[in-house]
Amino acid sequence: MPELPEVETTRRGIDAVATGHTLTGMVVHESRMRWPIPKALPDLIKGQTVRACLRRGKYILIEFDTGTVLIHLGMSGSLRSVMQGELLRKHDHVEWLFKHATLRLHDPRRFGSVLWHPREQGPIEQHPLLAKLGIEPFDPAFNAKYLHDGLAGRSMSIKQALLAGDIVVGAGNIYASESLFRARIHPKTKASRVSLARCTRLALAIRETLTDALESGGSTLRDYVNATGEPGAYFTLHAAVYEREGQPCRVCATPIKRIVQGQRATYFCPSCQKV
DNA sequence: CTTTAACCCTGGAGGC
DNA sequence: TGCCTCCAGGGTTAAA
């Protein structure tokens, strides 16, 4: 479920609930995630005040005085504040308790992770999982030249280069397809052969696609984060191509195609998008 | 160095 | 109803 817009919406939700407040406890119901949740973590952060809730790529960073909790939602994770007395659901793996609120991590597939980075190990940006991430799409430095330079010398397809996340983060499997449609670039185009002019369109398309999703996701996810018990509110995504195989392109009515690249589905319009 | 494929895990949908 | 196969928004890791 979580692409960058949903992660950012989640971050805003927990920021409003947690920042400036003291953690009264952390309960781990299931520690077997992508990596085991450190056993010592609850004792390390209990009683500390949350200084900030940040985001890097699809990682949520909860900062304390002695270090940072890194949270990734994987494919099926969600993190929300629950009502007082709300029953624990299956796959609710972790709870962070505050005097006035409880945050719960729910993740059926357990591809997500909860890790600890002690302050003495250096700045969080140098954490191995964050160090090689590409630029944030809303960083002013992310422009056509940056993208073009990043793609230079890479033989893989543009779709896979976007998905790799080491040039620019944020365009996951849905929005990589959607952004390429918006930029009218064929997903199989060799990354190194995307011209500077097309990089201008693509950088813009990525930002616009994510902005649109964030705006619609922000409204639907507001009650997701503050859920009153109703689980699983989704994005009201108005996809141009994603999961629209065989349906008419919204621009030219040509049937949308589905292909597989790197074991992931890609959708595109064979008429609008050129190699 | 870059690129590819296997893998981690559960659940929903659809065919029979 | 059950059992099977396929598919899913993520990313790390080992192998080529």
PDB file of all heavy atoms in Angstrom, chain A residues 110-134:
ATOM      1  N   ARG A 110       4.645  -8.530   6.738  1.00  0.00           N
ATOM      2  CA  ARG A 110       5.873  -8.356   7.539  1.00  0.00           C
ATOM      3  C   ARG A 110       7.112  -8.077   6.689  1.00  0.00           C
ATOM      4  O   ARG A 110       8.213  -8.506   7.009  1.00  0.00           O
ATOM      5  CB  ARG A 110       6.099  -9.579   8.450  1.00  0.00           C
ATOM      6  CG  ARG A 110       5.052  -9.650   9.557  1.00  0.00           C
ATOM      7  CD  ARG A 110       5.402 -10.687  10.610  1.00  0.00           C
ATOM      8  NE  ARG A 110       5.017 -12.018  10.219  1.00  0.00           N
ATOM      9  CZ  ARG A 110       5.863 -13.036  10.058  1.00  0.00           C
ATOM     10  NH1 ARG A 110       7.161 -12.870  10.243  1.00  0.00           N
ATOM     11  NH2 ARG A 110       5.419 -14.214   9.699  1.00  0.00           N
ATOM     12  N   PHE A 111       6.924  -7.383   5.569  1.00  0.00           N
ATOM     13  CA  PHE A 111       8.074  -6.913   4.796  1.00  0.00           C
ATOM     14  C   PHE A 111       8.602  -5.602   5.380  1.00  0.00           C
ATOM     15  O   PHE A 111       9.646  -5.123   4.971  1.00  0.00           O
ATOM     16  CB  PHE A 111       7.678  -6.670   3.338  1.00  0.00           C
ATOM     17  CG  PHE A 111       7.514  -7.925   2.531  1.00  0.00           C
ATOM     18  CD1 PHE A 111       7.702  -9.178   3.094  1.00  0.00           C
ATOM     19  CD2 PHE A 111       7.169  -7.854   1.190  1.00  0.00           C
ATOM     20  CE1 PHE A 111       7.553 -10.326   2.346  1.00  0.00           C
ATOM     21  CE2 PHE A 111       7.021  -9.006   0.428  1.00  0.00           C
ATOM     22  CZ  PHE A 111       7.210 -10.241   1.009  1.00  0.00           C
ATOM     23  N   GLY A 112       7.871  -5.036   6.287  1.00  0.00           N
ATOM     24  CA  GLY A 112       8.284  -3.779   6.903  1.00  0.00           C
ATOM     25  C   GLY A 112       9.383  -3.993   7.926  1.00  0.00           C
ATOM     26  O   GLY A 112       9.827  -5.117   8.176  1.00  0.00           O
ATOM     27  N   SER A 113       9.851  -2.893   8.520  1.00  0.00           N
ATOM     28  CA  SER A 113      10.918  -3.024   9.506  1.00  0.00           C
ATOM     29  C   SER A 113      10.850  -1.908  10.543  1.00  0.00           C
ATOM     30  O   SER A 113      10.324  -0.828  10.284  1.00  0.00           O
ATOM     31  CB  SER A 113      12.286  -3.027   8.818  1.00  0.00           C
ATOM     32  OG  SER A 113      12.399  -1.929   7.939  1.00  0.00           O
ATOM     33  N   VAL A 114      11.388  -2.217  11.719  1.00  0.00           N
ATOM     34  CA  VAL A 114      11.523  -1.245  12.813  1.00  0.00           C
ATOM     35  C   VAL A 114      12.942  -1.400  13.340  1.00  0.00           C
ATOM     36  O   VAL A 114      13.300  -2.463  13.861  1.00  0.00           O
ATOM     37  CB  VAL A 114      10.515  -1.508  13.947  1.00  0.00           C
ATOM     38  CG1 VAL A 114      10.725  -0.524  15.094  1.00  0.00           C
ATOM     39  CG2 VAL A 114       9.084  -1.444  13.434  1.00  0.00           C
ATOM     40  N   LEU A 115      13.752  -0.374  13.151  1.00  0.00           N
ATOM     41  CA  LEU A 115      15.161  -0.463  13.527  1.00  0.00           C
ATOM     42  C   LEU A 115      15.565   0.728  14.400  1.00  0.00           C
ATOM     43  O   LEU A 115      14.853   1.722  14.477  1.00  0.00           O
ATOM     44  CB  LEU A 115      16.039  -0.498  12.263  1.00  0.00           C
ATOM     45  CG  LEU A 115      15.809  -1.726  11.362  1.00  0.00           C
ATOM     46  CD1 LEU A 115      16.518  -1.552  10.036  1.00  0.00           C
ATOM     47  CD2 LEU A 115      16.283  -2.996  12.068  1.00  0.00           C
ATOM     48  N   TRP A 116      16.704   0.586  15.030  1.00  0.00           N
ATOM     49  CA  TRP A 116      17.205   1.617  15.942  1.00  0.00           C
ATOM     50  C   TRP A 116      18.580   2.073  15.505  1.00  0.00           C
ATOM     51  O   TRP A 116      19.461   1.258  15.237  1.00  0.00           O
ATOM     52  CB  TRP A 116      17.272   1.066  17.373  1.00  0.00           C
ATOM     53  CG  TRP A 116      17.916   1.956  18.379  1.00  0.00           C
ATOM     54  CD1 TRP A 116      19.067   1.706  19.061  1.00  0.00           C
ATOM     55  CD2 TRP A 116      17.443   3.222  18.838  1.00  0.00           C
ATOM     56  NE1 TRP A 116      19.330   2.749  19.920  1.00  0.00           N
ATOM     57  CE2 TRP A 116      18.350   3.701  19.804  1.00  0.00           C
ATOM     58  CE3 TRP A 116      16.319   4.013  18.520  1.00  0.00           C
ATOM     59  CZ2 TRP A 116      18.194   4.918  20.457  1.00  0.00           C
ATOM     60  CZ3 TRP A 116      16.156   5.229  19.178  1.00  0.00           C
ATOM     61  CH2 TRP A 116      17.089   5.668  20.136  1.00  0.00           C
ATOM     62  N   HIS A 117      18.765   3.381  15.430  1.00  0.00           N
ATOM     63  CA  HIS A 117      20.064   3.962  15.092  1.00  0.00           C
ATOM     64  C   HIS A 117      20.503   4.875  16.225  1.00  0.00           C
ATOM     65  O   HIS A 117      19.976   5.978  16.367  1.00  0.00           O
ATOM     66  CB  HIS A 117      19.955   4.751  13.780  1.00  0.00           C
ATOM     67  CG  HIS A 117      21.246   5.363  13.341  1.00  0.00           C
ATOM     68  ND1 HIS A 117      22.249   4.631  12.748  1.00  0.00           N
ATOM     69  CD2 HIS A 117      21.716   6.639  13.411  1.00  0.00           C
ATOM     70  CE1 HIS A 117      23.268   5.424  12.469  1.00  0.00           C
ATOM     71  NE2 HIS A 117      22.966   6.649  12.864  1.00  0.00           N
ATOM     72  N   PRO A 118      21.474   4.408  17.049  1.00  0.00           N
ATOM     73  CA  PRO A 118      21.923   5.247  18.168  1.00  0.00           C
ATOM     74  C   PRO A 118      22.625   6.508  17.674  1.00  0.00           C
ATOM     75  O   PRO A 118      23.337   6.462  16.661  1.00  0.00           O
ATOM     76  CB  PRO A 118      22.927   4.345  18.911  1.00  0.00           C
ATOM     77  CG  PRO A 118      22.754   2.976  18.347  1.00  0.00           C
ATOM     78  CD  PRO A 118      22.204   3.139  16.976  1.00  0.00           C
ATOM     79  N   ARG A 119      22.409   7.583  18.384  1.00  0.00           N
ATOM     80  CA  ARG A 119      22.987   8.872  17.988  1.00  0.00           C
ATOM     81  C   ARG A 119      24.506   8.796  17.848  1.00  0.00           C
ATOM     82  O   ARG A 119      25.094   9.400  16.942  1.00  0.00           O
ATOM     83  CB  ARG A 119      22.599   9.937  19.026  1.00  0.00           C
ATOM     84  CG  ARG A 119      23.184  11.304  18.766  1.00  0.00           C
ATOM     85  CD  ARG A 119      22.608  12.336  19.725  1.00  0.00           C
ATOM     86  NE  ARG A 119      21.215  12.641  19.455  1.00  0.00           N
ATOM     87  CZ  ARG A 119      20.824  13.631  18.629  1.00  0.00           C
ATOM     88  NH1 ARG A 119      21.698  14.390  18.023  1.00  0.00           N
ATOM     89  NH2 ARG A 119      19.549  13.847  18.429  1.00  0.00           N
ATOM     90  N   GLU A 120      25.153   8.016  18.751  1.00  0.00           N
ATOM     91  CA  GLU A 120      26.618   7.983  18.704  1.00  0.00           C
ATOM     92  C   GLU A 120      27.164   7.311  17.441  1.00  0.00           C
ATOM     93  O   GLU A 120      28.343   7.417  17.143  1.00  0.00           O
ATOM     94  CB  GLU A 120      27.192   7.305  19.964  1.00  0.00           C
ATOM     95  CG  GLU A 120      26.816   5.838  20.114  1.00  0.00           C
ATOM     96  CD  GLU A 120      25.678   5.639  21.111  1.00  0.00           C
ATOM     97  OE1 GLU A 120      24.838   6.558  21.257  1.00  0.00           O
ATOM     98  OE2 GLU A 120      25.618   4.568  21.736  1.00  0.00           O
ATOM     99  N   GLN A 121      26.293   6.630  16.704  1.00  0.00           N
ATOM    100  CA  GLN A 121      26.774   6.024  15.451  1.00  0.00           C
ATOM    101  C   GLN A 121      26.752   7.004  14.280  1.00  0.00           C
ATOM    102  O   GLN A 121      26.973   6.620  13.138  1.00  0.00           O
ATOM    103  CB  GLN A 121      25.938   4.789  15.109  1.00  0.00           C
ATOM    104  CG  GLN A 121      26.337   3.578  15.951  1.00  0.00           C
ATOM    105  CD  GLN A 121      25.584   2.329  15.580  1.00  0.00           C
ATOM    106  OE1 GLN A 121      24.999   2.237  14.507  1.00  0.00           O
ATOM    107  NE2 GLN A 121      25.594   1.350  16.474  1.00  0.00           N
ATOM    108  N   GLY A 122      26.475   8.267  14.589  1.00  0.00           N
ATOM    109  CA  GLY A 122      26.558   9.286  13.555  1.00  0.00           C
ATOM    110  C   GLY A 122      25.212   9.711  13.034  1.00  0.00           C
ATOM    111  O   GLY A 122      24.175   9.221  13.470  1.00  0.00           O
ATOM    112  N   PRO A 123      25.222  10.650  12.074  1.00  0.00           N
ATOM    113  CA  PRO A 123      23.973  11.181  11.530  1.00  0.00           C
ATOM    114  C   PRO A 123      23.146  10.083  10.859  1.00  0.00           C
ATOM    115  O   PRO A 123      23.703   9.169  10.242  1.00  0.00           O
ATOM    116  CB  PRO A 123      24.422  12.229  10.512  1.00  0.00           C
ATOM    117  CG  PRO A 123      25.898  12.193  10.456  1.00  0.00           C
ATOM    118  CD  PRO A 123      26.408  11.258  11.478  1.00  0.00           C
ATOM    119  N   ILE A 124      21.843  10.189  10.999  1.00  0.00           N
ATOM    120  CA  ILE A 124      20.934   9.167  10.482  1.00  0.00           C
ATOM    121  C   ILE A 124      21.056   9.013   8.961  1.00  0.00           C
ATOM    122  O   ILE A 124      20.866   7.921   8.423  1.00  0.00           O
ATOM    123  CB  ILE A 124      19.477   9.482  10.883  1.00  0.00           C
ATOM    124  CG1 ILE A 124      18.540   8.337  10.524  1.00  0.00           C
ATOM    125  CG2 ILE A 124      18.996  10.780  10.278  1.00  0.00           C
ATOM    126  CD1 ILE A 124      18.771   7.068  11.297  1.00  0.00           C
ATOM    127  N   GLU A 125      21.441  10.079   8.266  1.00  0.00           N
ATOM    128  CA  GLU A 125      21.555   9.995   6.796  1.00  0.00           C
ATOM    129  C   GLU A 125      22.617   8.975   6.388  1.00  0.00           C
ATOM    130  O   GLU A 125      22.618   8.492   5.263  1.00  0.00           O
ATOM    131  CB  GLU A 125      21.938  11.354   6.192  1.00  0.00           C
ATOM    132  CG  GLU A 125      21.046  12.523   6.581  1.00  0.00           C
ATOM    133  CD  GLU A 125      21.455  13.143   7.911  1.00  0.00           C
ATOM    134  OE1 GLU A 125      22.596  13.603   8.046  1.00  0.00           O
ATOM    135  OE2 GLU A 125      20.602  13.153   8.840  1.00  0.00           O
ATOM    136  N   GLN A 126      23.543   8.679   7.348  1.00  0.00           N
ATOM    137  CA  GLN A 126      24.612   7.736   7.010  1.00  0.00           C
ATOM    138  C   GLN A 126      24.250   6.289   7.326  1.00  0.00           C
ATOM    139  O   GLN A 126      25.065   5.389   7.136  1.00  0.00           O
ATOM    140  CB  GLN A 126      25.892   8.139   7.762  1.00  0.00           C
ATOM    141  CG  GLN A 126      26.522   9.401   7.188  1.00  0.00           C
ATOM    142  CD  GLN A 126      27.664   9.918   8.033  1.00  0.00           C
ATOM    143  OE1 GLN A 126      28.250   9.188   8.830  1.00  0.00           O
ATOM    144  NE2 GLN A 126      27.969  11.198   7.871  1.00  0.00           N
ATOM    145  N   HIS A 127      23.041   6.084   7.815  1.00  0.00           N
ATOM    146  CA  HIS A 127      22.598   4.708   8.056  1.00  0.00           C
ATOM    147  C   HIS A 127      22.675   3.923   6.739  1.00  0.00           C
ATOM    148  O   HIS A 127      22.343   4.438   5.675  1.00  0.00           O
ATOM    149  CB  HIS A 127      21.160   4.707   8.584  1.00  0.00           C
ATOM    150  CG  HIS A 127      20.705   3.347   9.042  1.00  0.00           C
ATOM    151  ND1 HIS A 127      20.310   2.360   8.152  1.00  0.00           N
ATOM    152  CD2 HIS A 127      20.610   2.804  10.274  1.00  0.00           C
ATOM    153  CE1 HIS A 127      19.979   1.276   8.846  1.00  0.00           C
ATOM    154  NE2 HIS A 127      20.144   1.515  10.129  1.00  0.00           N
ATOM    155  N   PRO A 128      23.145   2.665   6.778  1.00  0.00           N
ATOM    156  CA  PRO A 128      23.341   1.891   5.559  1.00  0.00           C
ATOM    157  C   PRO A 128      22.105   1.843   4.648  1.00  0.00           C
ATOM    158  O   PRO A 128      22.240   1.801   3.417  1.00  0.00           O
ATOM    159  CB  PRO A 128      23.652   0.480   6.081  1.00  0.00           C
ATOM    160  CG  PRO A 128      24.169   0.682   7.461  1.00  0.00           C
ATOM    161  CD  PRO A 128      23.609   1.956   7.979  1.00  0.00           C
ATOM    162  N   LEU A 129      20.926   1.852   5.256  1.00  0.00           N
ATOM    163  CA  LEU A 129      19.712   1.754   4.438  1.00  0.00           C
ATOM    164  C   LEU A 129      19.348   3.089   3.781  1.00  0.00           C
ATOM    165  O   LEU A 129      18.576   3.123   2.830  1.00  0.00           O
ATOM    166  CB  LEU A 129      18.532   1.277   5.295  1.00  0.00           C
ATOM    167  CG  LEU A 129      18.643  -0.153   5.818  1.00  0.00           C
ATOM    168  CD1 LEU A 129      17.521  -0.442   6.800  1.00  0.00           C
ATOM    169  CD2 LEU A 129      18.613  -1.155   4.668  1.00  0.00           C
ATOM    170  N   LEU A 130      19.911   4.169   4.298  1.00  0.00           N
ATOM    171  CA  LEU A 130      19.570   5.495   3.765  1.00  0.00           C
ATOM    172  C   LEU A 130      20.690   6.092   2.917  1.00  0.00           C
ATOM    173  O   LEU A 130      20.449   6.935   2.067  1.00  0.00           O
ATOM    174  CB  LEU A 130      19.259   6.469   4.917  1.00  0.00           C
ATOM    175  CG  LEU A 130      18.208   6.039   5.940  1.00  0.00           C
ATOM    176  CD1 LEU A 130      17.976   7.153   6.954  1.00  0.00           C
ATOM    177  CD2 LEU A 130      16.892   5.657   5.266  1.00  0.00           C
ATOM    178  N   ALA A 131      21.902   5.628   3.155  1.00  0.00           N
ATOM    179  CA  ALA A 131      23.078   6.281   2.579  1.00  0.00           C
ATOM    180  C   ALA A 131      23.060   6.317   1.048  1.00  0.00           C
ATOM    181  O   ALA A 131      23.527   7.281   0.452  1.00  0.00           O
ATOM    182  CB  ALA A 131      24.340   5.585   3.073  1.00  0.00           C
ATOM    183  N   LYS A 132      22.513   5.260   0.431  1.00  0.00           N
ATOM    184  CA  LYS A 132      22.582   5.203  -1.030  1.00  0.00           C
ATOM    185  C   LYS A 132      21.275   5.603  -1.716  1.00  0.00           C
ATOM    186  O   LYS A 132      21.112   5.406  -2.913  1.00  0.00           O
ATOM    187  CB  LYS A 132      23.005   3.795  -1.461  1.00  0.00           C
ATOM    188  CG  LYS A 132      24.496   3.553  -1.281  1.00  0.00           C
ATOM    189  CD  LYS A 132      24.894   2.102  -1.510  1.00  0.00           C
ATOM    190  CE  LYS A 132      24.535   1.243  -0.310  1.00  0.00           C
ATOM    191  NZ  LYS A 132      24.968  -0.169  -0.459  1.00  0.00           N
ATOM    192  N   LEU A 133      20.361   6.171  -0.936  1.00  0.00           N
ATOM    193  CA  LEU A 133      19.102   6.608  -1.532  1.00  0.00           C
ATOM    194  C   LEU A 133      19.319   7.813  -2.439  1.00  0.00           C
ATOM    195  O   LEU A 133      20.166   8.657  -2.167  1.00  0.00           O
ATOM    196  CB  LEU A 133      18.089   6.978  -0.445  1.00  0.00           C
ATOM    197  CG  LEU A 133      17.516   5.836   0.398  1.00  0.00           C
ATOM    198  CD1 LEU A 133      16.498   6.378   1.397  1.00  0.00           C
ATOM    199  CD2 LEU A 133      16.879   4.776  -0.492  1.00  0.00           C
ATOM    200  N   GLY A 134      18.525   7.894  -3.494  1.00  0.00           N
ATOM    201  CA  GLY A 134      18.590   9.027  -4.405  1.00  0.00           C
ATOM    202  C   GLY A 134      17.984  10.270  -3.787  1.00  0.00           C
ATOM    203  O   GLY A 134      17.531  10.269  -2.631  1.00  0.00           O
TER     204      GLY A 134
END
